[in-house]
Amino acid sequence: MDLCSLEPLLLIWTLLSRLGGFALEISVRDSELKPCEGNDRVCVTDLSDCRLPPSSSQKVLNMSCYYQEALDRTRSVTCSWSQESESEASLVFTSEVKIASCLGIFNPAAVLSVTARIKSYLTGRVDWSRPHTLVLFDAVKPSRPALALIGSMADSVVVSWKSSVDGSCRLRYRANDTRTWTQVSDLVPAHDGQDLNYTITNLRPFMAYKAAVACRKESGTWSDWSEDTSIQTLDEAPSRPAEMCYRVEKTCRDGALLLHLIWMASDPGRVLGYQVRISPPEHLQNVTGTTSVLVVKEGNYSVAVRAFNTAGFGPAARLQIDTQTRISRPSVRNLWISSGFPENEELLVRWTFPSAPSSVPPGSHAAVKWRSEENPSSGRWVRVDGSASSAVITDVDPDESYLVGVFPIYNQQCGPPQFLAASLQHGALMEAVSLKVVSVTKTTVTVMWAWQRKSGPIRVDRYRVMLRGDIDTQTLTLWPDQQQHTFSNLTPSTEYSLLLLADNVSRTIIPVATYFDEVPAVATATPLLLLVVTVMIISVLSRTLYKSYFFPPISSPRRSTAGQWLLNPNLKKCAERNFLDITDFQVTDLILVGPNHQLSSALHKEKSLQSASNLFVQMSAGKLGTVDVTGTKPVAGHEFNVQPITEQQIISLQSVFTSEEIGGTDEESSCSPQRVEDVLPPSHHQGWSALTFQCPELLTDFLRQPEPESGPLECSSLVHEVEYLTNGCFRAEPTAGDETKDGP
């Protein structure tokens, strides 16, 4: 045998030795014994065992033996012991007296020494046990008795058998749906050939059992158990009413309501079905389950439910229901089932009661129902107080799956149930899948997942979703009643990893990043922008003040009216050049424009032009003399005779001043003639030279010059450039009489 084949055997041997070793039992019939040559006191099954080792090399072995004689007169001796490894063994029988034949050594009067030879399969080592003294009379094993059922009640049965020894007998029984035997504590005294009866009590009504019996002599060996006998208890009428609650649900039909009746089978006996009675109107129906749905209308109803079996009806559970007042009761949340298999064969069911509004009373208790998915009628219930949020389900088969439901009960009203499939081997038979991100903002991430029937044999105690980042991590435990969650208070513009965990094992990893937050950027940039704008405003103001203080503005001729007139490319130049004499510009006639009531002060102070109705005109009399205007009076006390002019004349004069502004810069407006007849009345036309001011701005500028407070006006202060006067269009046009004089 090679080394590779020895390793598995060594491993198996180690495991079995730690579990308590092997139990070995050997039976030898008298027909299998052989005598040894040269030793008439030894009988063996293998002739190689005739040479016994010395007593110093023999080991102490905890061995027990019994003698049995079968109905066919076959006699045998059976010995058993426990050992550390699997091996083969043989027995050597030695008698204190000479053996005439090995076929006759097995008799009740014989006293034998039994020695066992043990050879290990693993190491090949051979060990011998020390002799075990066996008195066959005391080691007789009685024959197997036969058990029969003679009577049955709801909670007990009566069985009978016949004893073959003088001694005692014992019984055991078990229900058909369990594998554990229950042994009766009492020993039944027995005599050889006696018919014995015994009553097995504390049984469940209408339940199938198996029973067996064994007997022995006084301080002797027990016989083998009899064949398993089937026994059946009788039915017993239910003794307690069912615990019932109701729930009202509105339908789409007008005025129709669904009345859900749910009750818990609290009686331990067999129940064939339930009788449901509702009124008004009187309605009776039989159901086999623990729920019933009735179509009713708004009103008051009386409901009674009672269980029945072959023994009769049990007490009824009654409810008074008002369907007009309907208050929605919430269901339990976070339902999950865990398994402790194989350490213990039970299921742990956990849930939480929801936070109901103040109008809804707290849950008084919960009812947990479980049934096999293959056998829906095998439902069982357990009641859990309202302070507890878990229940332990026992007596479940490891090879079956169960559907577990939790019903929250609020006094006599129950909320919608929550169901979850589970098994001992796999726990909850639901798994979370299809994790995905549905929405992302600057500080939140919303995820969604789905639940499906578990596809693999892996047992998971809990599922979680983890949002992991460099700064913070958030974890959420998943429950079958949840399919969406929003992680909040996240850091903007940050990368995260979304993980789906099954018992700390990652199944799905999804990268996700929150959006950029513009508020901090704006908050950071706004002070900088305000600072820049403030610096720019201060710089511009400082530059303006600095420039105006150290570099005062100089008037540009290009921006004056005269400069624009001179730069006009369409200016009409005069055909003839006139050389001006300064004497021609001496002022002999002066027109003063000012308010009527300030005539006296107008000669000394400069005033602005007023409206046409309040103007006056002061004419020089050096050349014209007194000017008479019809309807006016002269103003006395002045060097000149001053006559107010009419509004029409002022308007005509005003048109001279504003013709440049109204007419534009074309040729006609820049040199527009104005006659004196349009200013003075016809009676004063004679003696006047028709002066035409083609450029009225000169007159306006002239009028704006400050006047001396006293003394005659002097023109020496007027300085004219030769080129300006030469190219100008300011000239006096002769009258008709003058043109005649100058002509040829």
Side-chain angles (χ1 to χ4, degrees):
M1 183 180 293
D2 57 355
L3 183 61
C4 296
S5 60
L6 287 176
E7 290 181 356
L9 295 176
L10 181 60
L11 178 61
I12 295 174
W13 175 81
T14 304
L15 292 176
L16 292 176
S17 61
R18 291 186 178 182
L19 292 176
F22 297 90
L24 187 61
E25 185 179 82
I26 299 177
S27 295
V28 178
R29 294 190 298 269
D30 54 0
S31 60
E32 298 176 349
L33 294 176
K34 302 174 185 178
C36 290
E37 294 182 1
N39 193 346
D40 54 1
R41 295 183 180 183
V42 178
C43 293
V44 296
T45 57
D46 189 355
L47 294 177
S48 61
D49 297 337
C50 292
R51 185 178 298 178
L52 296 175
S55 59
S56 60
S57 61
Q58 295 176 347
K59 292 183 177 181
V60 177
L61 187 64
N62 186 14
M63 182 171 54
S64 63
C65 301
Y66 63 87
Y67 165 71
Q68 188 175 17
E69 183 176 352
L71 297 177
D72 59 354
R73 311 297 295 179
T74 300
R75 299 174 182 182
S76 64
V77 172
T78 303
C79 297
S80 61
W81 64 88
S82 61
Q83 57 189 18
E84 295 181 353
S85 62
E86 189 176 3
S87 60
E88 63 175 357
S90 60
L91 299 178
V92 177
F93 298 94
T94 304
S95 176
E96 296 180 354
V97 298
K98 183 179 179 180
I99 300 174
S101 175
C102 289
L103 295 176
I105 67 170
F106 289 165
N107 60 80
V111 177
L112 302 176
S113 296
V114 182
T115 304
R117 184 184 66 88
I118 306 168
K119 182 179 181 180
S120 175
Y121 286 134
L122 185 61
T123 62
R125 179 180 176 181
V126 178
D127 294 324
W128 292 84
S129 68
R130 288 187 179 182
H132 172 73
T133 302
L134 177 64
V135 180
L136 270 63
F137 179 80
D138 296 333
V140 173
K141 182 178 182 179
S143 60
R144 175 185 295 180
L147 186 67
L149 176 67
I150 62 175
S152 180
M153 300 294 290
D155 59 350
S156 63
V157 294
V158 179
V159 293
S160 175
W161 71 95
K162 186 176 182 178
S163 175
S164 61
V165 294
D166 294 331
S168 61
C169 298
R170 60 183 180 180
L171 291 98
R172 66 178 184 178
Y173 65 92
R174 66 175 177 87
N176 286 350
D177 57 354
T178 64
R179 300 179 181 180
T180 304
W181 289 92
T182 301
Q183 187 168 318
V184 177
S185 59
D186 299 333
L187 292 178
V188 181
H191 299 283
D192 188 9
Q194 181 184 6
D195 292 331
L196 300 173
N197 296 332
Y198 188 82
T199 301
I200 303 176
T201 59
N202 298 325
L203 303 180
R204 288 182 292 175
F206 204 80
M207 181 66 66
Y209 292 88
K210 299 288 186 181
V213 64
C215 299
R216 72 171 181 177
K217 288 184 177 182
E218 295 295 337
S219 67
T221 303
W222 287 102
S223 68
D224 293 332
W225 290 102
S226 65
E227 294 287 344
D228 293 342
T229 302
S230 297
I231 57 178
Q232 177 76 45
T233 56
L234 299 180
D235 249 351
E236 183 181 14
S239 59
R240 289 179 291 179
E243 186 175 352
M244 184 170 55
C245 64
Y246 72 93
R247 179 167 59 92
V248 180
E249 182 180 351
K250 189 175 181 180
T251 63
C252 298
R253 292 182 295 176
D254 296 337
L257 301 174
L258 291 180
L259 178 60
H260 296 263
L261 299 176
I262 304 170
W263 57 88
M264 182 175 62
S266 58
D267 199 283
R270 185 177 73 118
V271 176
L272 295 179
Y274 296 88
Q275 184 185 76
V276 181
R277 185 188 301 271
I278 184 171
S279 62
E282 188 74 17
H283 178 72
L284 186 67
Q285 68 175 11
N286 293 332
V287 296
T288 57
T290 56
T291 60
S292 178
V293 181
L294 303 174
V295 180
V296 297
K297 295 183 179 180
E298 292 186 349
N300 295 322
Y301 295 90
S302 177
V303 179
V305 176
R306 59 178 181 171
F308 64 88
N309 55 20
T310 57
F313 286 93
R318 302 182 184 277
L319 283 180
Q320 294 294 328
I321 301 175
D322 183 9
T323 60
Q324 295 178 352
T325 58
R326 298 186 302 272
I327 301 177
S328 178
R329 309 293 182 179
S331 61
V332 297
R333 300 184 58 189
N334 304 342
L335 176 63
W336 194 250
I337 302 176
S338 303
S339 173
F341 186 81
E343 288 78 9
N344 46 44
E345 296 184 357
E346 61 185 22
L347 294 174
L348 176 61
V349 185
R350 294 173 295 176
W351 66 89
T352 58
F353 277 102
S355 55
S358 58
S359 60
V360 179
S364 58
H365 63 280
V368 180
K369 177 184 178 181
W370 71 96
R371 62 173 177 83
S372 173
E373 289 188 320
E374 298 179 356
N375 186 14
S377 61
S378 62
R380 283 176 286 177
W381 292 82
V382 63
R383 188 181 188 274
V384 182
D385 293 335
S387 59
S389 59
S390 63
V392 177
I393 299 176
T394 58
D395 297 335
V396 290
D397 192 344
D399 298 329
E400 291 189 9
S401 59
Y402 296 86
L403 185 63
V404 182
V406 180
F407 297 78
I409 299 176
Y410 306 86
N411 295 330
Q412 292 183 340
Q413 297 189 32
C414 51
Q418 290 286 344
F419 292 95
L420 185 62
S423 67
L424 274 178
Q425 297 183 7
H426 306 135
L429 299 179
M430 295 291 289
E431 61 179 350
V433 295
S434 302
L435 180 67
K436 62 181 179 180
V437 179
V438 295
S439 67
V440 179
T441 64
K442 294 180 292 186
T443 59
T444 63
V445 173
T446 302
V447 298
M448 183 179 293
W449 62 90
W451 292 91
Q452 70 177 15
R453 183 86 175 195
K454 186 176 292 184
S455 58
I458 302 175
R459 183 170 64 189
V460 178
D461 289 335
R462 64 172 179 172
Y463 289 91
R464 294 181 301 159
V465 170
M466 177 184 294
L467 188 65
R468 185 174 61 191
D470 297 335
I471 301 177
D472 56 346
T473 299
Q474 298 186 23
T475 305
L476 172 70
T477 302
L478 304 185
W479 309 105
D481 57 344
Q482 299 175 348
Q483 294 183 348
Q484 183 173 329
H485 179 73
T486 299
F487 293 97
S488 57
N489 300 326
L490 303 180
T491 305
S493 185
T494 305
E495 294 184 355
Y496 291 89
S497 296
L498 185 65
L499 292 84
L500 176 61
L501 303 177
D503 284 344
N504 299 325
V505 177
S506 177
R507 288 192 172 183
T508 305
I509 301 177
I510 301 175
V512 62
T514 54
Y515 291 160
F516 176 75
D517 190 4
E518 65 276 3
V519 174
V522 173
T524 304
T526 300
L528 297 178
L529 292 176
L530 292 177
L531 179 61
V532 171
V533 172
T534 304
V535 171
M536 292 178 63
I537 293 175
I538 294 175
S539 176
V540 171
L541 293 177
S542 302
R543 181 175 178 273
T544 304
L545 293 176
Y546 176 80
K547 182 178 180 181
S548 61
Y549 182 78
F550 292 99
F551 303 97
I554 301 174
S555 300
S556 175
R558 293 178 178 271
R559 298 182 181 179
S560 64
T561 305
Q564 293 178 1
W565 173 74
L566 291 174
L567 295 176
N568 186 4
N570 299 323
L571 181 64
K572 182 179 179 181
K573 297 185 178 181
C574 300
E576 58 182 28
R577 292 182 178 270
N578 296 325
F579 295 94
L580 301 181
D581 189 359
I582 192 62
T583 59
D584 295 337
F585 289 92
Q586 294 180 355
V587 178
T588 58
D589 299 331
L590 181 63
I591 300 175
L592 297 178
V593 181
N596 290 335
H597 62 278
Q598 296 179 353
L599 180 60
S600 60
S601 61
L603 299 175
H604 307 285
K605 297 181 180 179
E606 179 186 2
K607 297 296 180 178
S608 302
L609 296 177
Q610 303 295 327
S611 63
S613 60
N614 295 325
L615 296 177
F616 66 88
V617 177
Q618 180 174 326
M619 304 297 294
S620 164
K623 188 176 181 179
L624 298 177
T626 301
V627 180
D628 255 340
V629 180
T630 306
T632 62
K633 294 181 180 181
V635 181
H638 295 278
E639 182 180 357
F640 303 99
N641 292 327
V642 178
Q643 298 286 342
I645 63 175
T646 62
E647 183 177 356
Q648 179 180 3
Q649 296 168 343
I650 293 301
I651 292 174
S652 178
L653 182 61
Q654 191 176 14
S655 64
V656 176
F657 298 161
T658 60
S659 61
E660 176 66 15
E661 299 177 4
I662 298 176
T665 59
D666 55 2
E667 184 178 351
E668 295 179 3
S669 61
S670 60
C671 297
S672 57
Q674 183 70 31
R675 296 180 303 170
V676 73
E677 288 87 354
D678 297 333
V679 179
L680 298 179
S683 58
H684 298 280
H685 290 173
Q686 296 179 358
W688 281 81
S689 296
L691 297 177
T692 301
F693 293 91
Q694 295 179 349
C695 298
E697 292 86 305
L698 297 178
L699 178 60
T700 304
D701 295 337
F702 176 77
L703 292 176
R704 290 178 181 174
Q705 297 297 327
E707 297 177 4
E709 295 184 1
S710 63
L713 297 173
E714 296 181 0
C715 297
S716 60
S717 62
L718 299 177
V719 180
H720 304 278
E721 294 182 4
V722 177
E723 184 179 358
Y724 177 83
L725 297 177
T726 304
N727 296 331
C729 296
F730 181 82
R731 65 181 182 274
E733 296 182 359
T735 61
D738 295 335
E739 291 177 356
T740 305
K741 295 178 181 180
D742 296 336

